[in-house]
């Protein structure tokens, strides 16, 4: 009897219950096996029902325990898997059910999903005690677990000590490094994999393309694209989608569009990746037009991410009315319930346009609980638009400085708002709070790829091998821009110092160091591509416009918000970011 519904499962169970459970009839065992597997693992099954079947068994084998652990590891509450494991260890009915090499990977998956690192380490120890310390499948699961819990160092130790590795081991480690914001290391590991002549699969391709997208490593991204075409992996939708994303995030929106156009059967993910890419590059009308083509011509239903991309396009171009229209039709037209991300886009849409009161009123009337990110975005816009009174009031009202001991973002923002208002004592108080809590502001950084290598700069960087040459180039650029009428925007430096010191600070921003390096190391007339981890400041933005004109270079900068294409003294963002 085949089972595809719970109704059929119940009929089979009724038949099984009429048969004595000590019967030697193989049909009985097969029926029980089929019933339990369906109820535990099928999307149409019933996990609680499967649990009750397990509890009713007189002599459950390891398979039944492992299946339940597996089912709960992918359920909304993966922690229940541990109670099943404890029941397995202490089952009084038999010595037969023992953990095996199928048990621990599912437990480790539960740890990763729940981010329970201490419990994960205990499972690691238990696996070793049970004699499975060298099992390849378990080692791969350990890499995934440690990476998923933010412990990429431990994942690397497991990987380095493995006597045997397969493509899953390498891919899990590459993926883990990307997830832990170490894309350059992920690319280096992939290069080792290629040198060793190991076979790669579509999962490996996706992982390394994610690393290229995050770091802006266009050369490696193109190289991987070549491997994709050699292996014909591009037929798989997930690879095509990540290729679109990679090219878009590396500043090559035309290449992204070519990949998109070559896809025969486009799914919602590929449409969304292309719409999102266009929106981030400031081609907002193109993004909206593509969305209309998707739903009207090809009848592809958007999902939540598609609507986030559409709202982002409206936000990046100041299309407030259009953004509200798409937000309102989400539920009515497409049956999509707005999430916190969609509400956040609307808040940002209003706040960037300077409609701060409307943005505040919108947050207060939201039917879902706003998170701290929404309030921080509004407060940041208060600083940008000079409404520091509103910003200070919101900081106090929502106790932004008590948002969490591990979150320094709120403290940095509050300090910047106080500095903008000239309240240096209040800023000093915020810095003292950060010191007491052990919070350190992550440095601003800029990456640039030259000859296939990623070079990363931080503020005032002097560790680069070409540092002396870079600062000489910066001095040359600065003198040249002064002749063009450049005046430093010293208001961007939120420190209590004189104008000359502030000007010195501005010229040591990581973005300027990266562009100076690019001017030195790349050929005249070629593009310079920079990836930042923070929003571009107004002074750097002005400097990039002037450099693009004076040196006749196109400079493409990806900041935390969007792309800026600087050409002949102008920026694609229209100075709206």
């Amino acid at each position: 009897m085949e089972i595809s519904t719970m109704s059929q499962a119940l009929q089979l169970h009724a038949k099984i219950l009429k048969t004595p459970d000590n019967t030697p009839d193989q049909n009985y065992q097969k029926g029980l096996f089929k019933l339990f597997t369906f109820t535990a693992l099928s999307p149409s099954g019933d996990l609680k029902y499967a649990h009750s079947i397990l509890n009713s068994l007189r002599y459950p084998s390891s398979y039944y325990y492992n299946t339940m652990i597996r089912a709960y590891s992918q359920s909304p509450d993966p922690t229940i898997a541990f109670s099943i494991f404890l029941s397995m260890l202490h089952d009084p009915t038999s010595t037969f059910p023992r953990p095996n090499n199928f048990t621990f990977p599912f437990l480790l998956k539960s740890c990763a999903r729940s981010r329970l690192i201490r419990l994960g380490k205990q499972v690691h120890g238990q696996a070793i005690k049970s004699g499975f310390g060298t099992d390849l499948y378990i080692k791969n699961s350990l890499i995934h677990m440690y990476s998923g819990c933010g412990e990429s160092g431990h994942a690397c130790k497991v990987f380095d000590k493995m006597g045997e590795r397969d493509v899953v081991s390498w891919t899990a480690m590459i993926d883990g490094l990307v997830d832990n914001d170490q894309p350059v290391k992920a690319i280096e590991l992939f290069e080792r994999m290629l040198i060793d002549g190991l076979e790669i699969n579509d999962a490996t391709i996706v992982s390394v393309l994610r690393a290229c997208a995050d770091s802006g490593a266009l050369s490696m991204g193109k190289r991987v694209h070549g491997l994709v075409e050699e292996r014909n992996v591009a037929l798989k939708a997930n690879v095509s989608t990540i290729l679109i994303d990679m090219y878009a995030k590396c500043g090559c929106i035309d290449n992204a569009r070519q990949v998109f156009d070559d896809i025969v059967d486009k799914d919602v993910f590929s449409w969304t990746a292309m719409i999102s890419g266009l929106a981030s590059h400031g081609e907002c009308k193109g993004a909206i037009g593509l969305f209309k083509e998707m739903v009207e011509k090809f009848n592809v239903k958007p999902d939540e991410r598609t609507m986030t991309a559409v709202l982002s396009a409206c936000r990046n171009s100041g299309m407030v009315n259009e953004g509200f229209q798409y937000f309102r039709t989400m539920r009515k037209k497409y049956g999509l319930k707005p999430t916190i991300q969609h509400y956040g886009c609307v808040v940002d849409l209003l706040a960037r346009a300077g409609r701060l009161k409307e943005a505040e009123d919108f947050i207060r009337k939201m039917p879902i609980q706003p998170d701290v990110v929404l309030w921080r975005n509004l407060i940041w816009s208060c600083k940008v638009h000079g409404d520091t009174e509103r910003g200070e009031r919101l900081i106090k009202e929502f106790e932004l400085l008590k948002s969490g001991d591990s979150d320094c973002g709120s403290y940095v923002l509050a300090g910047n708002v106080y500095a903008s208002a000239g309240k240096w004592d209040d800023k000093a108080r915020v810095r003292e709070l950060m010191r007491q809590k052990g919070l350190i502001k992550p440095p601003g950084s800029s990456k640039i790829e030259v000859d296939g290598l990623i070079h990363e700069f931080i503020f005032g960087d002097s560790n680069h091998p070409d540092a002396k040459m870079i600062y000489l180039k910066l001095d040359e650029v600065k003198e040249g821009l002064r002749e063009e009428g450049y005046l430093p925007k010293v208001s961007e430096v939120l420190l209590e110092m004189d104008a000359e010191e502030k000007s010195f600070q501005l010229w040591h921003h990581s973005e300027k160091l990266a562009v100076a390096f690019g001017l030195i190391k790349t050929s005249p007339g070629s593009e310079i591509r920079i990836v930042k981890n923070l929003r571009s400041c107004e002074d750097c933005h002005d400097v990039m416009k002037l450099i693009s004109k004076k040196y006749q270079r196109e400079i493409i900068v990806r900041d935390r918000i969007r792309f800026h294409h600087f050409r002949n003294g102008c920026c694609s963002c229209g100075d709206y970011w």
Side-chain angles (χ1 to χ4, degrees):
M1 177 183 177
E2 293 299 321
I3 311 174
S4 59
T5 66
M6 273 305 296
S7 176
Q8 293 171 340
L10 293 173
Q11 292 176 36
L12 177 60
H13 199 186
K15 183 178 179 181
I16 290 171
L17 290 174
K18 293 178 181 178
T19 307
D21 62 0
N22 60 353
T23 177
D25 186 0
Q26 287 188 346
N27 289 331
Y28 169 85
Q29 298 297 338
K30 286 182 179 179
L32 183 61
F33 181 90
K34 186 185 294 183
L35 169 69
F36 181 75
T37 303
F38 172 82
T39 54
L41 301 179
S42 171
S44 305
D46 186 329
L47 190 51
K48 289 184 179 179
Y49 198 88
H51 202 156
S52 67
I53 293 174
L54 174 66
N55 291 337
S56 70
L57 296 178
R58 187 176 298 176
Y59 303 113
S61 68
S62 296
Y63 171 80
Y64 289 93
Y65 280 108
N66 287 343
T67 301
M68 284 304 299
I69 292 170
R70 175 185 173 185
Y72 277 117
S73 74
Q74 54 200 30
S75 74
D77 188 0
T79 58
I80 300 176
F82 303 112
S83 63
I84 302 295
F85 177 64
L86 291 175
S87 299
M88 181 183 193
L89 290 178
H90 301 104
D91 190 330
T93 61
S94 171
T95 59
F96 182 59
R98 285 284 179 259
N100 56 31
N101 60 330
F102 293 105
T103 311
F104 294 104
F106 297 130
L107 284 173
L108 292 167
K109 181 178 180 180
S110 297
C111 294
R113 289 192 60 214
S114 307
R115 296 185 69 85
L116 297 172
I117 183 62
R118 291 183 63 185
L119 196 54
K121 289 179 178 179
Q122 291 177 29
V123 173
H124 187 177
Q126 188 68 38
I128 294 172
K129 289 179 182 179
S130 301
F132 299 107
T134 59
D135 183 89
L136 179 61
Y137 188 27
I138 292 174
K139 287 281 190 181
N140 291 343
S141 298
L142 282 166
I143 293 171
H144 174 72
M145 184 275 294
Y146 281 121
S147 298
C149 292
E151 296 281 351
S152 59
H154 282 87
C156 286
K157 287 180 182 178
V158 173
F159 180 81
D160 290 340
K161 291 180 180 179
M162 291 175 72
E164 175 192 2
R165 302 188 189 107
D166 61 7
V167 65
V168 178
S169 316
W170 288 86
T171 302
M173 194 63 249
I174 292 169
D175 213 37
L177 289 168
V178 179
D179 287 340
N180 284 277
D181 198 26
Q182 299 178 70
V184 176
K185 285 188 177 180
I187 291 170
E188 291 171 353
L189 190 63
F190 178 71
E191 288 177 324
R192 276 177 54 194
M193 189 178 181
L194 292 178
I195 291 169
D196 289 350
L198 293 163
E199 190 65 32
I200 60 176
N201 58 23
D202 63 304
T204 319
I205 292 289
V206 168
S207 295
V208 74
L209 285 174
R210 285 179 59 222
C212 295
D214 287 357
S215 62
L218 179 60
S219 296
M220 176 56 79
K222 287 182 174 180
R223 185 178 169 192
V224 174
H225 190 180
L227 293 173
V228 166
E229 291 180 336
E230 284 177 21
R231 292 164 169 77
N232 211 21
V233 185
L235 294 174
K236 298 196 175 182
N238 63 333
V239 177
S240 297
T241 299
I242 194 64
L243 273 171
I244 295 169
D245 187 61
M246 182 275 295
Y247 277 122
K249 288 181 177 175
C250 287
C252 298
I253 196 65
D254 291 339
N255 296 64
R257 186 61 190 251
Q258 186 173 345
V259 173
F260 175 78
D261 289 340
D262 288 343
I263 301 173
V264 178
D265 296 315
K266 300 177 180 67
D267 59 16
V268 66
F269 304 108
S270 55
W271 284 97
T272 299
M274 194 65 240
I275 293 167
S276 180
L278 289 168
S280 68
H281 280 264
E283 298 186 21
C284 303
K285 290 183 179 178
I288 299 298
L290 195 65
F291 173 72
K292 290 179 179 178
E293 184 181 343
M294 166 187 159
V295 296
E296 294 172 7
K297 184 177 179 180
F298 291 93
N299 296 313
V300 176
K301 182 184 176 183
D303 62 11
E304 288 82 0
R305 291 186 179 183
T306 316
M307 297 311 299
T308 299
V310 171
L311 291 171
S312 296
C314 296
R315 175 193 64 192
N316 287 346
S317 56
M319 299 163 61
V320 178
N321 294 333
E322 293 86 344
F324 263 104
Q325 181 182 345
Y326 284 115
F327 179 76
R328 293 190 187 104
T329 58
M330 272 185 65
R331 193 192 301 267
K332 293 179 182 178
K333 196 169 183 179
Y334 306 115
L336 298 172
K337 184 179 179 181
T339 66
I340 192 70
Q341 285 77 22
H342 301 114
Y343 283 103
C345 283
V346 175
V347 171
D348 218 12
L349 179 72
L350 290 166
R352 285 199 205 182
R355 294 161 66 165
L356 303 174
K357 184 180 185 306
E358 289 177 67
E360 182 180 346
D361 292 343
F362 181 83
I363 297 177
R364 294 185 186 279
K365 293 176 182 177
M366 281 170 48
I368 60 176
Q369 183 69 27
D371 60 14
V372 69
V373 176
L374 264 69
W375 289 115
R376 285 207 305 226
N377 286 344
L378 175 56
I379 292 168
W380 172 259
S381 292
C382 291
K383 172 196 166 296
V384 171
H385 290 284
D387 192 351
T388 52
E389 183 180 339
R390 186 187 304 273
E392 290 180 58
R393 171 171 58 79
L394 293 174
I395 289 170
K396 293 175 182 176
E397 181 179 352
F398 294 98
E399 297 185 316
L400 211 64
L401 302 184
K402 296 181 181 179
S403 59
D405 286 348
S406 62
D407 177 22
C408 72
S410 296
Y411 294 87
V412 172
L413 174 58
N416 287 341
V417 170
Y418 289 134
S420 295
K423 298 185 176 181
W424 302 110
D425 289 342
D426 286 328
K427 178 171 182 176
R429 177 175 58 84
V430 172
R431 293 188 68 174
E432 177 59 22
L433 280 173
M434 290 181 67
R435 190 193 64 77
Q436 291 174 4
K437 294 176 180 291
L439 300 177
I440 300 173
K441 176 187 174 183
S445 70
S446 296
K447 298 185 182 76
I448 180 171
E449 183 186 41
V450 175
D451 296 330
L453 295 177
I454 300 292
H455 299 260
E456 185 171 11
F457 297 91
I458 60 172
F459 170 80
D461 206 331
S462 59
N463 293 323
H464 194 277
D466 296 315
K468 186 175 180 180
M469 193 186 306
I470 290 168
Y471 281 104
L472 286 172
K473 188 67 177 180
L474 264 185
D475 289 339
E476 174 198 312
V477 171
K478 182 163 53 173
E479 288 303 314
L481 296 191
R482 280 177 179 164
E483 295 173 5
E484 299 288 331
Y486 163 73
L487 291 174
K489 278 191 166 55
V490 293
S491 60
E492 286 288 291
V493 181
L494 301 175
L495 297 170
E496 195 172 10
M497 55 178 60
D498 62 34
E500 187 176 344
E501 290 175 309
K502 288 185 176 184
S503 179
F504 179 84
Q505 289 273 326
L506 286 173
W507 275 94
H508 287 72
H509 281 192
S510 64
E511 188 173 341
K512 294 185 177 82
L513 297 176
V515 79
F517 182 71
L519 289 170
I520 295 167
K521 294 293 183 178
T522 59
S523 58
S526 62
E527 296 173 341
I528 296 175
R529 301 169 186 274
I530 297 170
V531 175
K532 290 174 55 67
N533 67 337
L534 300 176
R535 184 178 184 269
S536 284
C537 78
E538 288 188 41
D539 188 76
C540 284
H541 195 266
D542 284 352
V543 166
M544 295 300 151
K545 286 196 293 185
L546 291 169
I547 291 176
S548 72
K549 182 179 180 181
K550 184 172 181 61
Y551 290 86
Q552 286 300 294
R553 295 288 199 104
E554 180 175 356
I555 303 170
I556 303 170
V557 176
R558 185 182 100 197
D559 72 7
R560 189 174 57 84
I561 304 295
R562 59 177 297 165
F563 273 89
H564 302 264
H565 291 253
F566 300 95
R567 301 184 188 95
N568 198 30
C570 298
C571 181
S572 59
C573 75
D575 297 339
Y576 186 88
W577 85 103

